[in-house]
Amino acid sequence: MSSVNISVVGAGIIGLTTALTLADRGHTVTVHDPEPASGASHHAGGMLAPTAEVVYKQDPLFPLMRASAEWYPELINLTAKYSDLPTGYRTDGTLVVARDIADKTHLDELTEYQSRHGMAVDKLTTREARKLEPALSPAINGAVRIDGDHQVQPRLFTRALIDACRSANVTFTTNRIDSLDQLEDADQVVVANGLGASQLIPSLDLRPVYGDVLHVRVPKHQYPLLTRVVRGFVEDRPVYLIPREDGTLTIGATTREDGRDQPQVQGIHQLLRDAIELVPALEECDFVEATAGARPGTPDDLPYLGRVDERTVVSTGYFRHGILLAGLGARVGAELVDRQELSIDLTACDPRRHS
């Protein structure tokens, strides 16, 4: 495969994983971003959850999520090929729990929907769930185990990706790209700068979807408070708790489209209240941080991934699944650049479908 000069716009997880994949293929790659890894990737939870993250009536998304999860170990190994930095990759699995009887009905219906679509979900008694995670409240009303849902720690992963890219001879610039005309020296361009992609390609219909996320630290006498991701429903509201090897827990995430880019008191209160309902010992943790990030959403909540012309590939609009779908974006993004047969059908992701 002959080497070509490729510019990648955006140094979030999609841009970084795509750049690394292309560099590993022998291409000359330059990444343009004034503030690498400062957007949605910085605020993300990092769950690789093709089963637990299922949303009703989004069937075209399911095969993309499953394929990306299957390809993720390749992405982790590629990063390790060029960097010794940790990624926070863990394969402990996920528990999904219900707080009350109504939440159990929701969980039962979701489990049936997941099973009907061929996803592996194991129902547990509450006793079995609390044996796996003793910190769970004795008042929970239902639980399922999903062994195939894993996690990375996004801030660690993007740091390792930047290090790996540099080792693979990727060039970074802090140039702000306001027009594709600025990249006239590139043979191929990958537009992967999240919400900013619509400025470069106005036909893309992107909207910011904000989410509040919290970080707490587990005291030494409680560590590890949890050993795997716990997701739950509390009065029908979703909440997740992600344990980290550095002794912290990530709690998230709200979803709002109010245009406010700072964490909201109501969102913080809701997340803490619901998380404590599921894991009461959280009250003893140290509060570290609250942030809010804007995820790039599309009208149908499916990504824009494909060619828009002979020189330009678009890879954005991943909404709440950006970390998980990085496996897809990296592999298929590189295949698009190299004009290879694609590993998966991208018809639903056509970046021109809303133009």
Side-chain angles (χ1 to χ4, degrees):
M1 189 180 299
S2 59
S3 174
V4 297
N5 184 13
I6 302 166
S7 279
V8 176
V9 184
I13 194 164
I14 300 296
L16 292 170
T17 53
T18 305
L20 181 60
T21 302
L22 289 165
D24 185 63
R25 289 176 168 222
H27 296 303
T28 301
V29 183
T30 302
V31 176
H32 306 274
D33 195 320
E35 296 181 272
S38 63
S41 300
H42 180 76
H43 306 279
M47 292 171 293
L48 311 176
T51 299
E53 295 257 312
V54 157
V55 176
Y56 291 108
K57 297 183 180 180
Q58 285 197 343
D59 296 27
L61 191 57
F62 301 165
L64 306 180
M65 296 166 70
R66 285 196 296 265
S68 194
E70 290 172 5
W71 297 335
Y72 229 92
E74 297 176 14
L75 194 55
I76 297 298
N77 290 337
L78 178 61
T79 307
K81 176 180 176 181
Y82 292 99
S83 174
D84 294 327
L85 296 180
T87 61
Y89 181 57
R90 292 175 57 168
T91 59
D92 310 292
T94 295
L95 284 184
V96 187
V97 301
R99 174 62 182 86
D100 59 25
I101 295 296
D103 293 321
K104 185 178 185 302
T105 299
H106 181 165
L107 180 59
D108 289 343
E109 291 172 350
L110 179 61
T111 300
E112 193 276 332
Y113 184 78
Q114 291 162 331
S115 299
R116 194 164 69 243
H117 285 81
M119 303 173 193
V121 181
D122 298 320
K123 286 190 176 183
L124 302 177
T125 65
T126 55
R127 182 187 296 272
E128 289 170 331
R130 295 193 69 238
K131 186 174 181 180
L132 291 173
E133 296 294 345
L136 285 171
S137 168
I140 62 171
N141 270 271
V144 300
R145 184 177 67 193
I146 306 173
D147 290 334
D149 285 2
H150 304 149
Q151 64 151 298
V152 291
Q153 192 164 348
R155 295 183 190 180
L156 290 183
F157 193 20
T158 51
R159 193 176 306 142
L161 284 166
I162 291 171
D163 184 58
C165 283
R166 294 190 190 281
S167 297
N169 297 316
V170 173
T171 300
F172 285 84
T173 82
T174 56
N175 298 337
R176 178 182 174 85
I177 305 302
D178 297 312
S179 168
L180 295 181
D181 293 338
Q182 294 173 244
L183 306 172
E184 58 185 0
D185 294 335
D187 300 313
Q188 293 285 295
V189 175
V190 179
V191 177
N193 58 331
L195 289 163
S198 59
Q199 180 178 350
L200 303 178
I201 304 173
S203 62
L204 301 180
D205 189 353
L206 295 166
R207 73 189 194 282
V209 183
Y210 290 92
D212 304 304
V213 178
L214 312 178
H215 301 275
V216 301
R217 186 172 301 281
V218 179
K220 288 183 179 180
H221 71 276
Q222 285 185 314
Y223 183 83
L225 187 60
L226 297 173
T227 61
R228 72 202 72 208
V229 174
V230 170
R231 305 175 70 104
F233 298 104
V234 179
E235 297 178 1
D236 215 33
R237 293 183 299 270
V239 64
Y240 60 72
L241 301 91
I242 311 173
R244 310 295 195 186
E245 292 181 355
D246 61 3
T248 62
L249 272 169
T250 299
I251 304 170
T254 62
T255 298
R256 50 187 174 81
E257 299 188 37
D258 55 8
R260 302 172 69 183
D261 63 359
Q262 296 298 311
Q264 302 297 300
V265 170
Q266 179 182 4
I268 294 170
H269 173 67
Q270 173 189 311
L271 290 172
L272 285 175
R273 178 188 59 204
D274 292 349
I276 290 168
E277 281 288 317
L278 300 180
V279 183
L282 274 171
E283 290 185 319
E284 297 185 39
C285 290
D286 303 324
F287 189 86
V288 175
E289 180 185 47
T291 70
R295 297 159 289 199
T298 65
D300 53 12
D301 293 335
L302 289 164
Y304 290 132
L305 180 56
R307 278 196 172 274
V308 292
D309 57 44
E310 288 300 302
R311 194 175 76 114
T312 311
V313 170
V314 171
S315 187
T316 187
Y318 290 90
F319 193 28
R320 62 167 63 90
H321 306 298
I323 303 298
L324 167 61
L325 292 180
L328 170 81
R331 175 189 281 218
V332 181
E335 291 170 347
L336 286 162
V337 169
D338 285 331
R339 301 180 186 277
Q340 294 179 321
E341 182 178 352
L342 301 183
S343 297
I344 195 167
D345 181 10
L346 287 184
T347 303
C349 302
D350 187 344
R352 296 162 295 191
R353 67 187 184 273
H354 297 130
S355 60

